[in-house]
Amino acid sequence: SSQPASAAMTLLEFFGCSLISFSPALIMFIFTVANNPLKIIILTCSAFFWLLSLLLSSIVWFAVVPLRKQLVFSMVVSILFQEAIRIAFYFFIKRAEEGLQKIALAEDASAEETSQQSMSDNATGGSGGGGSSGGGGGAAAASSAGGSEPLTDADQVTLTAGTGRPVKILHLHSLSYVCGLGFGFMAGAFSMVNLLADISGPGSVGLGGEHEGFLLVSSVLALMFVFLNICWTVVTFVCIEDRRLYFLAYVWGSHLLCSLLTLLNSSASPLLSLVPIMVSLTCALIGLLLSLHLVEANLAGFFTSLVSPAWMLRVCRR
Amino acid sequence: IILGLVIVMTIVLIVLYKLRCYKVIQGWLYVTSVLILFFFSLIFFGVLLSTLNLAFDYITMAVCVWNFGLVGQVAIHWKGPLLLQQMYLIFISALMALVFIKFLPEWTTWVLLVLISIWDLVAVLCPKGPLRMLVETAQERNESLFPSLIYSTTAAYMSVGTAEQPQQQQQQQQQDGNVSSDLDESGSHQQQHQAAAQVLNGGGGDGGEAGVSGGHDGDGPDAAGAGSNGLRVRNKAFHDESHGVKLGLGDFVFYSILVGRASSAGDWNTTLSCYFAILIGLSLTLLLLAIGRRALPALPISITFGVIFYFLTSLIVSPFVDALTAQQFFI
């Protein structure tokens, strides 16, 4: 019968589209985030914050009843909320880091007391979200290098030293990268997930009378937006950190540009959808170069890392 | 009605615990875990196979389920690799949640969730609350008997951490022994509650909540117990031991119920947002745990977040996102 054949066909399409949209994000997650629990927590937090921004913008959409059909208005509002939430997340992370440092310092201070007390402090520090990098001052020193190094020698060194140096729990750039990943993943997920669910049902290709490239365009745009979000977040965080606020204009401008260009998607011709895709691609590349420049990473090194995974692993273990 | 059952079950459990009727509790737990692992798995796989239109004869099915169930029994109640134990516990929680979702109408589920979280809050935080008594009794007797909700992440951390420290192996094993014995009893407690839940349709969360509250405070007695065993435990070992967070299995059941209900009633956006809301609620609870350092109910915050987000998303966000994606506008 034709049922297994059609099931296979739609399943193929489902996997194809989902992999187009999410496989880079997944790979980035596996290689850079999955082995560091603190980063996983930050990823979840950032995804949640994006969700909050979406919630706010949809409340606005819901509330402004006469403009419900005009999605442009709500899109602009949503973009504004997203950027605002990005900036807010930066400050939130800063506060959280200070809190974690305080906990780390407190553990340092109590390290000279009975070992059991320091153990319970480690418990609080550890479960306070520091994950593998939160426990004790030694852990703080280890986590300044990124948190996925073994805690052994750092432990013994710092618990005896008991210095009160404020250490960064997580390097800002890897943190902003993780945040961008979270934002981007959530954005892509919310755009794609219902589509994907419909795809795996019986028969797609067009999904309600659209042109045949509908699914492909959606997946590719979702992919683009994941990358774009990463770049925007990195640039935003570095800008606020260094107070070079003019690069924020790039972020806001390119976000508005890419989103508003997707308005062109509504027409029936797939060729016209090439415009937003290409523009987003360019914006993503520019954003990537810009963020690398701001992060002061070595461009040549970055491109070699794309070729040799080992180097990449070492870089991203920061 | 259900809440009344939950309350009764908690009180019964506490009475049993206070009177040290360990045998009764353990026996009950074994029975319930057998029940769940065998019969529910059977039903679950049967439904799964019929959905996928696969043919399966009874004999093969019996062999498969028998093996699966037995391995689960061993993994939960006896020593086994931690990952396997965690997988089985998660599977059981998911099965319980499925049962609840199938057999409760929609509004009942939501009201039940809200009420259980309120009860959890009350039971753990009020001075006279039964769960709090449980926790304090466990602390007085210096036993880690109740960190049962028994989903513990401790040993996982330990195995990761001690790869480079051979001399800590022995201490780790000792602590492993501690932890796994806790897990045994916690598993059985949880199972017992689940058994009661099957009969009375409400006691499962009870054990879960007891587990969570006991679980959080069990870290302290755990560390104390291990230390008092005369081990010169290194900082690292304690790091890992106290990093392990113990979470009640009943909590898992209720989270699964929430997400399951969200996925069955709505589209994927709702499910995703509920899932993330629960995760964030859990992180917040852990954070509060770190700050407060007492037994905390894990349910209320997460469930509140989850329920709020479910309703908000399904009513407001979903139409918005649907309108956007239908036209392929990306925000």
Side-chain angles (χ1 to χ4, degrees):
Chain A
S1 79
S2 63
Q3 196 204 16
S6 62
M9 177 180 83
T10 54
L11 216 54
L12 269 179
E13 190 149 16
F14 167 76
F15 276 114
C17 284
S18 60
L19 283 178
I20 290 179
S21 312
F22 292 123
S23 57
L26 192 65
I27 301 235
M28 286 195 268
F29 175 77
I30 290 178
F31 279 123
T32 57
V33 175
N35 44 5
N36 190 347
L38 182 61
K39 283 189 186 174
I40 295 183
I41 294 179
I42 295 183
L43 189 82
T44 324
C45 272
S46 61
F48 180 71
F49 269 70
W50 191 89
L51 192 60
L52 274 183
S53 80
L54 181 68
L55 187 66
L56 289 173
S57 43
S58 51
I59 289 181
V60 168
W61 172 80
F62 202 71
V64 184
V65 177
L67 282 181
R68 261 192 219 170
K69 289 289 184 200
Q70 307 286 347
L71 285 173
V72 185
F73 165 73
S74 53
M75 275 169 65
V76 172
V77 168
S78 165
I79 292 174
L80 288 177
F81 272 125
Q82 277 183 50
E83 298 303 328
I85 291 276
R86 224 190 286 273
I87 298 179
F89 193 63
Y90 171 81
F91 289 113
F92 173 76
I93 285 288
K94 279 289 174 187
R95 290 261 304 277
E97 211 172 299
E98 287 166 20
L100 281 178
Q101 281 181 15
K102 279 201 205 123
I103 294 180
L105 289 181
E107 288 168 17
D108 251 354
S110 63
E112 284 97 44
E113 300 177 15
T114 64
S115 61
Q116 280 203 356
Q117 248 191 353
S118 71
M119 289 323 125
S120 48
D121 282 344
N122 283 347
T124 64
S127 47
S132 61
S133 50
S143 55
S144 68
S148 40
E149 291 172 359
L151 292 173
T152 52
D153 29 344
D155 248 9
Q156 293 161 15
V157 166
T158 51
L159 273 182
T160 52
T163 58
R165 278 182 309 128
V167 202
K168 270 204 181 154
I169 301 291
L170 197 61
H171 197 210
L172 178 73
H173 300 146
S174 55
L175 191 124
S176 56
Y177 157 76
V178 168
C179 290
L181 197 57
F183 270 45
F185 166 72
M186 224 24 189
F190 260 76
S191 324
M192 281 304 294
V193 127
N194 275 332
L195 272 180
L196 289 177
D198 287 336
I199 288 174
S200 54
S204 12
V205 186
L207 268 195
E210 312 282 340
H211 56 81
E212 61 240 7
F214 183 77
L215 298 168
L216 207 58
V217 167
S218 285
S219 338
V220 172
L221 273 175
L223 169 71
M224 286 293 123
F225 267 78
V226 169
F227 279 130
L228 282 171
N229 266 297
I230 295 181
C231 301
W232 289 331
T233 317
V234 172
V235 173
T236 312
F237 277 33
V238 174
C239 283
I240 303 181
E241 177 94 7
D242 298 339
R243 306 265 167 221
R244 287 194 275 178
L245 290 175
Y246 35 85
F247 281 121
L248 276 183
Y250 163 73
V251 172
W252 292 52
S254 62
H255 197 166
L256 278 170
L257 184 69
C258 294
S259 283
L260 293 178
L261 274 180
T262 57
L263 284 173
L264 287 175
N265 272 341
S266 58
S267 66
S269 121
L271 283 181
L272 212 50
S273 308
L274 270 184
V275 176
I277 294 180
M278 285 301 136
V279 171
S280 338
L281 188 60
T282 352
C283 283
L285 284 175
I286 298 179
L288 183 66
L289 292 175
L290 185 62
S291 47
L292 282 177
H293 164 70
L294 284 178
V295 165
E296 279 135 34
N298 191 3
L299 270 181
F302 174 72
F303 283 118
T304 34
S305 76
L306 286 179
V307 179
S308 71
W311 198 91
M312 169 78 121
L313 283 178
R314 252 186 303 139
V315 165
C316 295
R317 213 165 268 172
R318 286 190 302 142
Chain B
I1 305 180
I2 296 182
L3 196 59
L5 291 173
V6 168
I7 298 178
V8 164
M9 279 315 303
T10 323
I11 297 184
V12 165
L13 177 70
I14 294 174
V15 164
L16 281 178
Y17 182 60
K18 283 203 138 198
L19 301 178
R20 292 185 182 264
C21 308
Y22 293 150
K23 292 290 182 177
V24 173
I25 297 181
Q26 276 205 338
W28 203 350
L29 281 169
Y30 280 126
V31 166
T32 60
S33 58
V34 162
L35 206 59
I36 294 185
L37 271 178
F38 287 111
F39 292 115
F40 276 2
S41 314
L42 194 64
I43 298 176
F44 174 69
F45 284 125
V47 172
L48 197 66
L49 289 174
S50 66
T51 318
L52 292 177
N53 260 341
L54 292 176
F56 230 69
D57 53 310
Y58 279 122
I59 300 184
T60 320
M61 177 60 99
V63 169
C64 287
V65 169
W66 175 259
N67 282 335
F68 182 71
L70 216 54
V71 172
Q73 282 286 80
V74 167
I76 297 177
H77 293 281
W78 205 48
K79 298 192 199 303
L82 183 77
L83 198 60
L84 196 63
Q85 186 177 47
Q86 288 177 341
M87 290 290 130
Y88 266 105
L89 289 175
I90 294 177
F91 181 70
I92 288 185
S93 315
L95 273 184
M96 281 295 300
L98 265 180
V99 168
F100 272 114
I101 296 175
K102 263 188 181 309
F103 295 122
L104 286 182
E106 185 165 342
W107 282 112
T108 316
T109 320
W110 293 116
V111 171
L112 174 69
L113 279 174
V114 171
L115 285 181
I116 290 257
S117 63
I118 297 180
W119 153 250
D120 196 29
L121 202 60
V122 161
V124 173
L125 293 180
C126 291
K128 272 300 184 180
L131 293 177
R132 193 179 180 125
M133 273 168 36
L134 209 59
V135 164
E136 282 161 6
T137 331
Q139 268 187 306
E140 287 164 23
R141 297 181 190 171
N142 210 12
E143 294 165 359
S144 21
L145 188 54
F146 248 38
S148 338
L149 259 352
I150 317 195
Y151 184 85
S152 165
T153 53
T154 309
Y157 273 92
M158 284 203 266
S159 54
V160 162
T162 54
E164 303 103 320
Q165 293 274 337
Q167 65 264 31
Q168 288 187 349
Q169 284 273 309
Q170 194 189 11
Q171 301 153 359
Q172 293 304 328
Q173 280 165 13
Q174 187 102 22
Q175 282 187 342
D176 264 331
N178 260 352
V179 170
S180 46
S181 63
D182 294 345
L183 295 174
D184 291 347
E185 281 147 311
S186 24
S188 36
H189 280 296
Q190 188 269 331
Q191 298 302 341
Q192 160 197 16
H193 287 300
Q194 285 192 342
Q198 289 161 44
V199 176
L200 302 172
N201 214 18
D206 190 18
E209 287 130 48
V212 134
S213 53
H216 291 309
D217 246 4
D219 282 341
D222 268 350
S228 64
N229 282 343
L231 295 169
R232 291 290 129 233
V233 185
R234 300 276 184 88
N235 309 327
K236 179 89 190 288
F238 268 130
H239 254 312
D240 303 337
E241 159 87 27
S242 40
H243 268 290
V245 173
K246 298 187 162 105
L247 187 61
L249 272 178
D251 291 340
F252 276 126
V253 175
F254 283 104
Y255 297 156
S256 316
I257 292 180
L258 206 154
V259 177
R261 174 58 66 192
S263 72
S264 71
D267 54 344
W268 275 85
N269 289 334
T270 330
T271 317
L272 257 189
S273 72
C274 275
Y275 178 70
F276 274 98
I278 290 184
L279 274 182
I280 293 288
L282 198 60
S283 325
L284 274 182
T285 316
L286 286 178
L287 204 63
L288 280 181
L289 173 73
I291 299 179
R293 277 200 249 178
R294 311 186 299 169
L296 276 185
L299 274 184
I301 300 181
S302 289
I303 297 229
T304 326
F305 268 40
V307 171
I308 290 181
F309 265 83
Y310 170 76
F311 283 114
L312 277 178
T313 321
S314 61
L315 292 177
I316 300 186
V317 176
S318 271
F320 179 54
V321 174
D322 286 339
L324 281 180
T325 51
Q327 315 239 11
Q328 281 191 323
F329 298 159
F330 275 78
I331 50 173

